[in-house]
Amino acid sequence: MANLKPIITVDQLVKTYDGKNVVDGISFEVKKGEIFGILGPNGAGKTTTLEMLEALRTIDGGTVTIDGIDVASAPRHIKNIIGIQLQSTTFYDKLTLREQLKMFASLYGQTVDADALLAKVQLTDKAKSYVEQLSGGQKQRFAIASTLVNNPTVLFLDEPTTGLDPQARRNLWDLIKEIRDEGITIVLTTHYMDEAELLCDRLAIMDNGKIITIDTPHNLIQQLLARGFKKKQVVEQANLEDVFIDLTGKAIRD
Ligand SMILES: Nc1ncnc2c1ncn2[C@@H]1O[C@H](COP(=O)(O)OP(=O)(O)OP(=O)(O)O)[C@@H](O)[C@H]1O
């Protein structure tokens, strides 16, 4: 369970493009050891928010602290204590997976047990392969391994399971939970409601640059029901994804 202590504190955060606040004075806390999800329609401001937290975009107003460090005034320090998986990460096509992990670690002035990291993401047999030889699910697992080379305190994942098949998505959820259980705080964005519900300890829902609500998935659903919400149709006991998984199995295919 997440510790109640906040590891990320966001206060009145603003990003302005062309005179418009695309992130409009948002405030929230992420607790140590939780998986915190940011949901919202296209253009809501999720990636912009994430990239300000990651010290990748300048902050136009407000403050962010991670583990007590102010992001705007100490961006280099922040980059040393976080791991970042962007929506599309580019890798080197001339280095094997093992070589790339060692190279990434060296960028932090560290050494890494590349084989242990590859084992953690079930890519032991691909240590000598190149990224272009990996399936989509394997690439995402490798991307996550690459974010762990500096032993981060907080891991940021931007739409980590987009484009993956159901088996690979579930496998990645297990990996993300495992990383959380080892004590790393995870902040992710997603467009998948099942992912948000099953994976995230707490969720922030964003729209038009603002946070509309923050709570656990369970509490958000209970609050909707308490407002009198009813579905018109009885929910089926199974859905097409259940059929797909039942017929094709849970094992990952890549
Ligand atoms: N570099 C930029 N210059 C101008 N406007 C930008 C820039 N980056 C983002 N925006 C605008 O900011 C708003 C928020 O974009 P952002 O990418 O943060 O949304 P998002 O919630 O991550 O969307 P998606 O779900 O589509 O990834 C959008 O209106 C976008 O057009």
Side-chain angles (χ1 to χ4, degrees):
M1 263 310 281
N3 180 315
L4 290 181
K5 198 170 157 251
I7 188 139
I8 302 178
T9 304
V10 177
D11 188 29
Q12 296 297 316
L13 186 66
V14 173
K15 183 76 199 178
T16 311
Y17 286 123
D18 307 323
K20 184 176 179 250
N21 286 354
V22 300
V23 174
D24 197 10
I26 60 172
S27 301
F28 62 94
E29 286 180 344
V30 177
K31 295 172 190 169
K32 194 169 167 50
E34 73 177 346
I35 300 178
F36 185 86
I38 305 179
L39 294 182
N42 291 131
K46 304 178 297 294
T47 299
T48 306
T49 299
L50 219 57
E51 293 190 355
M52 284 192 282
L53 269 54
E54 296 162 346
L56 292 178
R57 292 200 207 193
T58 53
I59 292 172
D60 292 341
T63 56
V64 180
T65 58
I66 301 182
D67 211 10
I69 301 155
D70 181 63
V71 171
S73 50
R76 286 201 174 178
H77 191 157
I78 290 296
K79 281 173 188 150
N80 279 331
I81 63 162
I82 65 172
I84 303 175
Q85 178 246 322
L86 302 169
Q87 269 181 33
S88 57
T89 308
T90 312
F91 292 104
Y92 298 88
D93 50 10
K94 300 273 189 297
L95 296 177
T96 65
L97 301 195
R98 182 189 282 136
E99 288 166 346
Q100 295 207 47
L101 291 181
K102 289 186 172 172
M103 194 267 295
F104 287 136
S106 72
L107 297 177
Y108 289 99
Q110 296 187 14
T111 54
V112 70
D113 185 343
D115 290 340
L117 217 42
L118 288 170
K120 185 184 186 62
V121 299
Q122 299 172 52
L123 287 175
T124 296
D125 55 342
K126 299 286 178 188
K128 290 183 183 163
S129 299
Y130 297 90
V131 171
E132 64 178 14
Q133 297 168 308
L134 303 180
S135 72
Q138 289 169 337
K139 270 188 198 143
Q140 282 302 71
R141 297 208 301 279
F142 180 64
I144 290 187
S146 73
T147 67
L148 297 173
V149 292
N150 59 326
N151 281 317
T153 307
V154 180
L155 194 56
F156 292 95
L157 308 173
D158 202 357
E159 297 186 24
T161 67
T162 294
L164 299 185
D165 71 26
Q167 285 92 347
R169 291 179 66 218
R170 284 163 190 237
N171 174 260
L172 214 67
W173 295 346
D174 288 342
L175 175 62
I176 293 169
K177 284 183 188 165
E178 219 176 275
I179 293 169
R180 185 263 323 264
D181 292 344
E182 287 169 9
I184 298 178
T185 306
I186 294 166
V187 181
L188 60 84
T189 66
T190 183
H191 283 295
Y192 298 117
M193 295 305 128
D194 56 345
E195 178 161 295
E197 191 175 344
L198 294 171
L199 181 62
C200 296
D201 297 306
R202 288 192 313 137
L203 295 170
I205 301 183
M206 269 190 98
D207 200 9
N208 289 320
K210 290 191 183 293
I211 289 182
I212 309 168
T213 187
I214 300 184
D215 214 325
T216 63
H218 175 79
N219 287 351
L220 291 171
I221 293 167
Q222 291 308 313
Q223 287 156 16
L224 175 66
L225 294 173
R227 292 198 293 274
F229 177 86
K230 282 197 178 65
K231 276 200 176 160
K232 289 201 179 80
Q233 289 176 327
V234 175
V235 181
E236 296 277 359
Q237 294 300 307
N239 61 22
L240 192 57
E241 180 162 329
D242 298 320
V243 174
F244 184 86
I245 293 284
D246 183 61
L247 295 176
T248 62
K250 285 205 171 91
I252 44 171
R253 297 311 170 80
D254 51 31

